[in-house]
Every structure is written in structure tokens, then in C-alpha cells.
Amino acid sequence: MATIGFIGLGNMGAPMARNLIAAGHRLHVYDVSPDAVAATVAAGAAAAPDIARLARGAEFVITMLPAGEQVREVYLGPDGAIAAAAPSTTLIDCSTIDVATARAVSAAAVSAGLDMIDAPVSGGVAGAEAGTLIFMVGGEARVYAAAEPILRVMGKTVLHTGGPGNGQAAKICNNLILGISMIAVCEAFVLAESLGLPAQTLFDVASTSSGQCWSLTSYCPVPGPVPGSPANRGYQPGFTAALMLKDLRLAGAAGGDAVLPLRDRAAALYADFVDSGGGASDFSAIIEGIRRMAVESG
Ligand code: NAD
């Protein structure tokens, strides 16, 4: 069993940490929120007084932080994880961040003689709780192999997607498909409403025809056809519209000058929805914004 330092015990990090504890690993945890630390200590972790002391004794350091800014702070700061960790330590960043930061932090780790992978996840809070996340891992094959058994405790699928930063690249490309496909499905249901075509009928046709996709068949944005989808519980997340907007903006930042028209349009639609108060709803609630636009314009 490994000694693991875990930093970032929020909606995702806390259940991931609990699964590692349940599998018998020794966890030392840190978060800027004392309440978050206390909750994971109650599940069997030891509280680390600071990041340096957490990193010093760890075989693995795992981070699950909001964005690139916190990842830089935690790894690159003068009292950060890279400065403190022993050379044999493997660093695993599971946060969803920009590709440039992932590559910069990984390069700093390698310069300090440490191993690092970026390992963002898909699967949301439910996947973190159930230990069924999907990990997309960027980094050297040797480091991937060393980290894989730890990631398998928290996930059902662990994919090596290439060198440093390629985990983040895979994650934002996947979420680009998801964000756009959800809007397409929502537009079809809104159009069907205006044409007098029942939602269940559209679902029966499209789910067995060429319109079939995950946003329709697993995460249907109208209540009824897929009983487990957030539409059936008032769009409680799930995966919030604010996080979808974050990922689409990361896809924007990563694209350089490349024109990707639907990425930009999708980001604008989610931004409007978030600005109008929808940020904490599931991202499939974007159908409400699209319905509003259709009514106002039609
Ligand atoms: P969260 O805000 O619930 O948790 C983040 C945690 O990090 C908080 O407990 C916060 O106190 C802590 N933190 C912030 N700055 C810190 C610092 N400098 N040092 C130590 N701790 C610090 O966020 P979350 O929903 O758990 O998401 C974490 C990451 O996972 C994000 O990058 C997000 O995009 C990604 N993600 C989230 C989901 C989801 O459904 N929530 C799904 C996939 C990926």
C-alpha cells in the first residue's frame, strides 16, 4: 500500500480520496478549507499541516484543484510540492486545466528530478463516488505504468493519451464534442416542440437513427425518455453549466488562432446561460436558454 499526499478535497477530490483510503492506502491530505480536511480525516486520512510536509513523505502526490492558477501555486510555489518532494515521488494532477500549464508544471517537475502525469477525469461526482472515473493520462509511458494501479482504484477506465499535457488535450477535445452535441440535441427537442412532435417520439426516432449520441441516449435534456438524466430532477448536476463553460474556454485557449466556429458559438451560449443565473444547474439545462431564445425570436 502506498503513502499518498492528496491536495484538493472538493466535490471530486473528497470521494476520490475516500476510495483510496477504502483500498488501504495511507492518505495525508491538504486543502485550504479546514472543513474539507476535517471531512476526509473523519474518513481515515491524516491531516498534513502544509503542502511541503505533505509532499516530503509521499510516494504519490495527487491534486484535484479548480484551475491552472491553483495547480501552479501548489506545485511551483517556493513551499510547493515540487520543491519539497523526494526524487522518487510521482506527481499526478487530476484537475482540468489548460494544456500550457500542464506542460509547464510537468517540465518543472522533470527538471527537479520528479515524475509527473496529467490525469484529468470524466465521469463527474457520481463517477468519483463510485470509483468509475475515466482517466486521460499524459506523460511518459514509464510514469503512466507506475501510476496506473493508483488510478484504477478511482476509475474504471485509464487511458494513456501521449506525452505531457495530452491528458488535458484529450479531456478538452472530448468536452468540446459533449458541449456542442448537447446544444444540437436541445435544439432538436425545441424544434420538435414547435412542430407538435412529442419528445418521446423524437427520442424513439433519433436514438435509433443517425442522430444518436451520448447527449441524447444517456443524458437526454428533456424529462421522460432517460429516467436517470438530470432533466428528471430539475437539472440538479451532474456536471454544471459553469464547468462546461470552463472547459469550452480551455478549448478556446488551447486552439491558438485556429477558427473552430461551433466551439466559439457553444462557449457564447453557455456564457449567456451562466450569466443569466444557470451556472449551478446541470449543463443539459442549456435547453432552457435555447427554448427562451426560440420563443423570443419566433
Ligand atoms: P471544488 O471547487 O469542489 O474543489 C476544489 C477544492 O480545491 C476545494 O476543496 C478547494 O478548497 C481546494 N483548493 C482550492 N485552492 C487550493 C489550494 N491553493 N490549495 C489547496 N486546496 C485548494 O471543485 P471540483 O468540482 O472538485 O473540481 C475539481 C477539478 O475537477 C476541476 O478542475 C474541475 O474542472 C474538474 N472536474 C470536475 C467535475 C465535476 O463534475 N465536479 C468533473 C470532471 C472534472
Side-chain angles (χ1 to χ4, degrees), residues 250-277:
L250 288 175
D257 293 334
V259 174
L260 296 176
L262 289 185
R263 171 199 63 191
D264 299 338
R265 190 71 192 110
L269 287 170
Y270 283 105
D272 283 349
F273 186 64
V274 168
D275 287 348
S276 68

PDB file of all heavy atoms in Angstrom, residues 250-277:
ATOM      1  N   LEU A 250     -11.292  26.579 -22.023  1.00  0.00           N
ATOM      2  CA  LEU A 250      -9.975  25.936 -22.126  1.00  0.00           C
ATOM      3  C   LEU A 250      -9.730  25.487 -23.568  1.00  0.00           C
ATOM      4  O   LEU A 250      -8.620  25.607 -24.093  1.00  0.00           O
ATOM      5  CB  LEU A 250      -9.891  24.720 -21.190  1.00  0.00           C
ATOM      6  CG  LEU A 250      -9.810  25.028 -19.688  1.00  0.00           C
ATOM      7  CD1 LEU A 250      -9.858  23.729 -18.873  1.00  0.00           C
ATOM      8  CD2 LEU A 250      -8.540  25.803 -19.351  1.00  0.00           C
ATOM      9  N   ALA A 251     -10.770  24.979 -24.218  1.00  0.00           N
ATOM     10  CA  ALA A 251     -10.638  24.572 -25.629  1.00  0.00           C
ATOM     11  C   ALA A 251     -10.340  25.796 -26.485  1.00  0.00           C
ATOM     12  O   ALA A 251      -9.585  25.717 -27.462  1.00  0.00           O
ATOM     13  CB  ALA A 251     -11.922  23.880 -26.099  1.00  0.00           C
ATOM     14  N   GLY A 252     -10.911  26.953 -26.104  1.00  0.00           N
ATOM     15  CA  GLY A 252     -10.637  28.191 -26.830  1.00  0.00           C
ATOM     16  C   GLY A 252      -9.196  28.619 -26.649  1.00  0.00           C
ATOM     17  O   GLY A 252      -8.488  28.925 -27.611  1.00  0.00           O
ATOM     18  N   ALA A 253      -8.723  28.568 -25.392  1.00  0.00           N
ATOM     19  CA  ALA A 253      -7.347  28.994 -25.107  1.00  0.00           C
ATOM     20  C   ALA A 253      -6.343  28.077 -25.787  1.00  0.00           C
ATOM     21  O   ALA A 253      -5.266  28.516 -26.202  1.00  0.00           O
ATOM     22  CB  ALA A 253      -7.121  29.007 -23.598  1.00  0.00           C
ATOM     23  N   ALA A 254      -6.690  26.792 -25.907  1.00  0.00           N
ATOM     24  CA  ALA A 254      -5.744  25.825 -26.466  1.00  0.00           C
ATOM     25  C   ALA A 254      -5.664  25.913 -27.980  1.00  0.00           C
ATOM     26  O   ALA A 254      -4.696  25.449 -28.575  1.00  0.00           O
ATOM     27  CB  ALA A 254      -6.158  24.409 -26.058  1.00  0.00           C
ATOM     28  N   GLY A 255      -6.661  26.502 -28.605  1.00  0.00           N
ATOM     29  CA  GLY A 255      -6.732  26.459 -30.060  1.00  0.00           C
ATOM     30  C   GLY A 255      -5.857  27.474 -30.780  1.00  0.00           C
ATOM     31  O   GLY A 255      -5.777  27.470 -31.993  1.00  0.00           O
ATOM     32  N   GLY A 256      -5.211  28.358 -30.038  1.00  0.00           N
ATOM     33  CA  GLY A 256      -4.405  29.391 -30.678  1.00  0.00           C
ATOM     34  C   GLY A 256      -5.281  30.237 -31.587  1.00  0.00           C
ATOM     35  O   GLY A 256      -6.366  30.660 -31.199  1.00  0.00           O
ATOM     36  N   ASP A 257      -4.816  30.452 -32.834  1.00  0.00           N
ATOM     37  CA  ASP A 257      -5.589  31.275 -33.765  1.00  0.00           C
ATOM     38  C   ASP A 257      -6.574  30.451 -34.607  1.00  0.00           C
ATOM     39  O   ASP A 257      -7.272  30.999 -35.457  1.00  0.00           O
ATOM     40  CB  ASP A 257      -4.630  32.023 -34.713  1.00  0.00           C
ATOM     41  CG  ASP A 257      -3.819  33.058 -33.937  1.00  0.00           C
ATOM     42  OD1 ASP A 257      -4.323  33.520 -32.894  1.00  0.00           O
ATOM     43  OD2 ASP A 257      -2.691  33.368 -34.358  1.00  0.00           O
ATOM     44  N   ALA A 258      -6.591  29.138 -34.377  1.00  0.00           N
ATOM     45  CA  ALA A 258      -7.452  28.287 -35.209  1.00  0.00           C
ATOM     46  C   ALA A 258      -8.921  28.682 -35.030  1.00  0.00           C
ATOM     47  O   ALA A 258      -9.379  28.889 -33.908  1.00  0.00           O
ATOM     48  CB  ALA A 258      -7.263  26.826 -34.823  1.00  0.00           C
ATOM     49  N   VAL A 259      -9.626  28.811 -36.143  1.00  0.00           N
ATOM     50  CA  VAL A 259     -11.059  29.125 -36.088  1.00  0.00           C
ATOM     51  C   VAL A 259     -11.827  27.813 -35.947  1.00  0.00           C
ATOM     52  O   VAL A 259     -11.747  26.938 -36.812  1.00  0.00           O
ATOM     53  CB  VAL A 259     -11.506  29.880 -37.364  1.00  0.00           C
ATOM     54  CG1 VAL A 259     -13.022  30.072 -37.359  1.00  0.00           C
ATOM     55  CG2 VAL A 259     -10.789  31.214 -37.456  1.00  0.00           C
ATOM     56  N   LEU A 260     -12.530  27.655 -34.824  1.00  0.00           N
ATOM     57  CA  LEU A 260     -13.399  26.490 -34.612  1.00  0.00           C
ATOM     58  C   LEU A 260     -14.781  27.069 -34.325  1.00  0.00           C
ATOM     59  O   LEU A 260     -15.099  27.404 -33.175  1.00  0.00           O
ATOM     60  CB  LEU A 260     -12.889  25.629 -33.453  1.00  0.00           C
ATOM     61  CG  LEU A 260     -11.512  24.986 -33.654  1.00  0.00           C
ATOM     62  CD1 LEU A 260     -11.067  24.246 -32.390  1.00  0.00           C
ATOM     63  CD2 LEU A 260     -11.526  24.020 -34.827  1.00  0.00           C
ATOM     64  N   PRO A 261     -15.592  27.238 -35.353  1.00  0.00           N
ATOM     65  CA  PRO A 261     -16.795  28.076 -35.205  1.00  0.00           C
ATOM     66  C   PRO A 261     -17.792  27.579 -34.173  1.00  0.00           C
ATOM     67  O   PRO A 261     -18.357  28.387 -33.427  1.00  0.00           O
ATOM     68  CB  PRO A 261     -17.397  28.088 -36.614  1.00  0.00           C
ATOM     69  CG  PRO A 261     -16.687  27.033 -37.391  1.00  0.00           C
ATOM     70  CD  PRO A 261     -15.387  26.765 -36.716  1.00  0.00           C
ATOM     71  N   LEU A 262     -18.018  26.264 -34.101  1.00  0.00           N
ATOM     72  CA  LEU A 262     -19.029  25.792 -33.146  1.00  0.00           C
ATOM     73  C   LEU A 262     -18.514  25.852 -31.717  1.00  0.00           C
ATOM     74  O   LEU A 262     -19.288  26.065 -30.781  1.00  0.00           O
ATOM     75  CB  LEU A 262     -19.489  24.376 -33.508  1.00  0.00           C
ATOM     76  CG  LEU A 262     -20.349  24.302 -34.778  1.00  0.00           C
ATOM     77  CD1 LEU A 262     -20.870  22.888 -34.995  1.00  0.00           C
ATOM     78  CD2 LEU A 262     -21.517  25.278 -34.731  1.00  0.00           C
ATOM     79  N   ARG A 263     -17.203  25.663 -31.518  1.00  0.00           N
ATOM     80  CA  ARG A 263     -16.633  25.847 -30.172  1.00  0.00           C
ATOM     81  C   ARG A 263     -16.950  27.255 -29.668  1.00  0.00           C
ATOM     82  O   ARG A 263     -17.425  27.440 -28.546  1.00  0.00           O
ATOM     83  CB  ARG A 263     -15.114  25.659 -30.229  1.00  0.00           C
ATOM     84  CG  ARG A 263     -14.411  26.037 -28.919  1.00  0.00           C
ATOM     85  CD  ARG A 263     -12.933  26.283 -29.125  1.00  0.00           C
ATOM     86  NE  ARG A 263     -12.695  27.416 -30.013  1.00  0.00           N
ATOM     87  CZ  ARG A 263     -11.520  27.732 -30.542  1.00  0.00           C
ATOM     88  NH1 ARG A 263     -10.468  26.978 -30.288  1.00  0.00           N
ATOM     89  NH2 ARG A 263     -11.386  28.781 -31.335  1.00  0.00           N
ATOM     90  N   ASP A 264     -16.721  28.244 -30.522  1.00  0.00           N
ATOM     91  CA  ASP A 264     -16.906  29.626 -30.081  1.00  0.00           C
ATOM     92  C   ASP A 264     -18.381  29.954 -29.858  1.00  0.00           C
ATOM     93  O   ASP A 264     -18.746  30.638 -28.910  1.00  0.00           O
ATOM     94  CB  ASP A 264     -16.273  30.579 -31.098  1.00  0.00           C
ATOM     95  CG  ASP A 264     -14.768  30.323 -31.208  1.00  0.00           C
ATOM     96  OD1 ASP A 264     -14.196  29.754 -30.247  1.00  0.00           O
ATOM     97  OD2 ASP A 264     -14.168  30.650 -32.247  1.00  0.00           O
ATOM     98  N   ARG A 265     -19.235  29.425 -30.728  1.00  0.00           N
ATOM     99  CA  ARG A 265     -20.678  29.670 -30.577  1.00  0.00           C
ATOM    100  C   ARG A 265     -21.202  28.963 -29.324  1.00  0.00           C
ATOM    101  O   ARG A 265     -22.011  29.506 -28.577  1.00  0.00           O
ATOM    102  CB  ARG A 265     -21.405  29.174 -31.830  1.00  0.00           C
ATOM    103  CG  ARG A 265     -22.833  29.570 -31.928  1.00  0.00           C
ATOM    104  CD  ARG A 265     -23.015  31.062 -32.206  1.00  0.00           C
ATOM    105  NE  ARG A 265     -24.414  31.439 -32.015  1.00  0.00           N
ATOM    106  CZ  ARG A 265     -24.858  32.203 -31.014  1.00  0.00           C
ATOM    107  NH1 ARG A 265     -24.025  32.729 -30.150  1.00  0.00           N
ATOM    108  NH2 ARG A 265     -26.135  32.472 -30.889  1.00  0.00           N
ATOM    109  N   ALA A 266     -20.735  27.719 -29.110  1.00  0.00           N
ATOM    110  CA  ALA A 266     -21.175  26.963 -27.917  1.00  0.00           C
ATOM    111  C   ALA A 266     -20.731  27.687 -26.656  1.00  0.00           C
ATOM    112  O   ALA A 266     -21.506  27.830 -25.702  1.00  0.00           O
ATOM    113  CB  ALA A 266     -20.610  25.540 -27.950  1.00  0.00           C
ATOM    114  N   ALA A 267     -19.481  28.169 -26.633  1.00  0.00           N
ATOM    115  CA  ALA A 267     -18.990  28.885 -25.445  1.00  0.00           C
ATOM    116  C   ALA A 267     -19.848  30.123 -25.191  1.00  0.00           C
ATOM    117  O   ALA A 267     -20.197  30.423 -24.040  1.00  0.00           O
ATOM    118  CB  ALA A 267     -17.526  29.266 -25.629  1.00  0.00           C
ATOM    119  N   ALA A 268     -20.232  30.833 -26.259  1.00  0.00           N
ATOM    120  CA  ALA A 268     -21.058  32.040 -26.092  1.00  0.00           C
ATOM    121  C   ALA A 268     -22.437  31.671 -25.525  1.00  0.00           C
ATOM    122  O   ALA A 268     -22.967  32.379 -24.658  1.00  0.00           O
ATOM    123  CB  ALA A 268     -21.192  32.766 -27.432  1.00  0.00           C
ATOM    124  N   LEU A 269     -23.019  30.563 -25.997  1.00  0.00           N
ATOM    125  CA  LEU A 269     -24.336  30.152 -25.494  1.00  0.00           C
ATOM    126  C   LEU A 269     -24.271  29.760 -24.017  1.00  0.00           C
ATOM    127  O   LEU A 269     -25.129  30.150 -23.213  1.00  0.00           O
ATOM    128  CB  LEU A 269     -24.886  28.984 -26.322  1.00  0.00           C
ATOM    129  CG  LEU A 269     -25.376  29.354 -27.734  1.00  0.00           C
ATOM    130  CD1 LEU A 269     -25.673  28.091 -28.537  1.00  0.00           C
ATOM    131  CD2 LEU A 269     -26.619  30.243 -27.666  1.00  0.00           C
ATOM    132  N   TYR A 270     -23.243  28.991 -23.635  1.00  0.00           N
ATOM    133  CA  TYR A 270     -23.109  28.622 -22.214  1.00  0.00           C
ATOM    134  C   TYR A 270     -22.809  29.856 -21.364  1.00  0.00           C
ATOM    135  O   TYR A 270     -23.274  29.974 -20.231  1.00  0.00           O
ATOM    136  CB  TYR A 270     -22.040  27.541 -22.015  1.00  0.00           C
ATOM    137  CG  TYR A 270     -22.522  26.160 -22.417  1.00  0.00           C
ATOM    138  CD1 TYR A 270     -22.109  25.564 -23.601  1.00  0.00           C
ATOM    139  CD2 TYR A 270     -23.425  25.458 -21.611  1.00  0.00           C
ATOM    140  CE1 TYR A 270     -22.565  24.311 -23.981  1.00  0.00           C
ATOM    141  CE2 TYR A 270     -23.891  24.203 -21.981  1.00  0.00           C
ATOM    142  CZ  TYR A 270     -23.454  23.635 -23.170  1.00  0.00           C
ATOM    143  OH  TYR A 270     -23.922  22.402 -23.542  1.00  0.00           O
ATOM    144  N   ALA A 271     -22.030  30.801 -21.910  1.00  0.00           N
ATOM    145  CA  ALA A 271     -21.716  32.031 -21.156  1.00  0.00           C
ATOM    146  C   ALA A 271     -23.001  32.811 -20.873  1.00  0.00           C
ATOM    147  O   ALA A 271     -23.223  33.284 -19.750  1.00  0.00           O
ATOM    148  CB  ALA A 271     -20.707  32.881 -21.925  1.00  0.00           C
ATOM    149  N   ASP A 272     -23.871  32.934 -21.897  1.00  0.00           N
ATOM    150  CA  ASP A 272     -25.153  33.630 -21.697  1.00  0.00           C
ATOM    151  C   ASP A 272     -25.983  32.930 -20.625  1.00  0.00           C
ATOM    152  O   ASP A 272     -26.594  33.570 -19.770  1.00  0.00           O
ATOM    153  CB  ASP A 272     -25.978  33.635 -22.998  1.00  0.00           C
ATOM    154  CG  ASP A 272     -25.452  34.666 -23.983  1.00  0.00           C
ATOM    155  OD1 ASP A 272     -24.609  35.495 -23.570  1.00  0.00           O
ATOM    156  OD2 ASP A 272     -25.874  34.629 -25.160  1.00  0.00           O
ATOM    157  N   PHE A 273     -25.995  31.601 -20.705  1.00  0.00           N
ATOM    158  CA  PHE A 273     -26.797  30.816 -19.762  1.00  0.00           C
ATOM    159  C   PHE A 273     -26.265  30.980 -18.334  1.00  0.00           C
ATOM    160  O   PHE A 273     -27.034  31.166 -17.389  1.00  0.00           O
ATOM    161  CB  PHE A 273     -26.803  29.346 -20.183  1.00  0.00           C
ATOM    162  CG  PHE A 273     -27.710  28.499 -19.349  1.00  0.00           C
ATOM    163  CD1 PHE A 273     -29.084  28.709 -19.348  1.00  0.00           C
ATOM    164  CD2 PHE A 273     -27.198  27.498 -18.541  1.00  0.00           C
ATOM    165  CE1 PHE A 273     -29.927  27.934 -18.566  1.00  0.00           C
ATOM    166  CE2 PHE A 273     -28.036  26.718 -17.753  1.00  0.00           C
ATOM    167  CZ  PHE A 273     -29.402  26.941 -17.763  1.00  0.00           C
ATOM    168  N   VAL A 274     -24.947  30.945 -18.198  1.00  0.00           N
ATOM    169  CA  VAL A 274     -24.322  31.120 -16.874  1.00  0.00           C
ATOM    170  C   VAL A 274     -24.589  32.537 -16.359  1.00  0.00           C
ATOM    171  O   VAL A 274     -24.965  32.733 -15.203  1.00  0.00           O
ATOM    172  CB  VAL A 274     -22.805  30.809 -16.950  1.00  0.00           C
ATOM    173  CG1 VAL A 274     -22.088  31.262 -15.682  1.00  0.00           C
ATOM    174  CG2 VAL A 274     -22.588  29.309 -17.192  1.00  0.00           C
ATOM    175  N   ASP A 275     -24.447  33.539 -17.244  1.00  0.00           N
ATOM    176  CA  ASP A 275     -24.693  34.938 -16.843  1.00  0.00           C
ATOM    177  C   ASP A 275     -26.134  35.156 -16.394  1.00  0.00           C
ATOM    178  O   ASP A 275     -26.411  36.010 -15.553  1.00  0.00           O
ATOM    179  CB  ASP A 275     -24.396  35.902 -18.002  1.00  0.00           C
ATOM    180  CG  ASP A 275     -22.906  36.044 -18.244  1.00  0.00           C
ATOM    181  OD1 ASP A 275     -22.126  35.589 -17.380  1.00  0.00           O
ATOM    182  OD2 ASP A 275     -22.511  36.589 -19.298  1.00  0.00           O
ATOM    183  N   SER A 276     -27.053  34.378 -16.964  1.00  0.00           N
ATOM    184  CA  SER A 276     -28.459  34.564 -16.592  1.00  0.00           C
ATOM    185  C   SER A 276     -28.825  33.740 -15.359  1.00  0.00           C
ATOM    186  O   SER A 276     -30.004  33.582 -15.036  1.00  0.00           O
ATOM    187  CB  SER A 276     -29.379  34.228 -17.769  1.00  0.00           C
ATOM    188  OG  SER A 276     -29.312  32.841 -18.028  1.00  0.00           O
ATOM    189  N   GLY A 277     -27.822  33.187 -14.681  1.00  0.00           N
ATOM    190  CA  GLY A 277     -28.078  32.509 -13.403  1.00  0.00           C
ATOM    191  C   GLY A 277     -28.077  30.997 -13.467  1.00  0.00           C
ATOM    192  O   GLY A 277     -28.373  30.333 -12.475  1.00  0.00           O
TER     193      GLY A 277
END
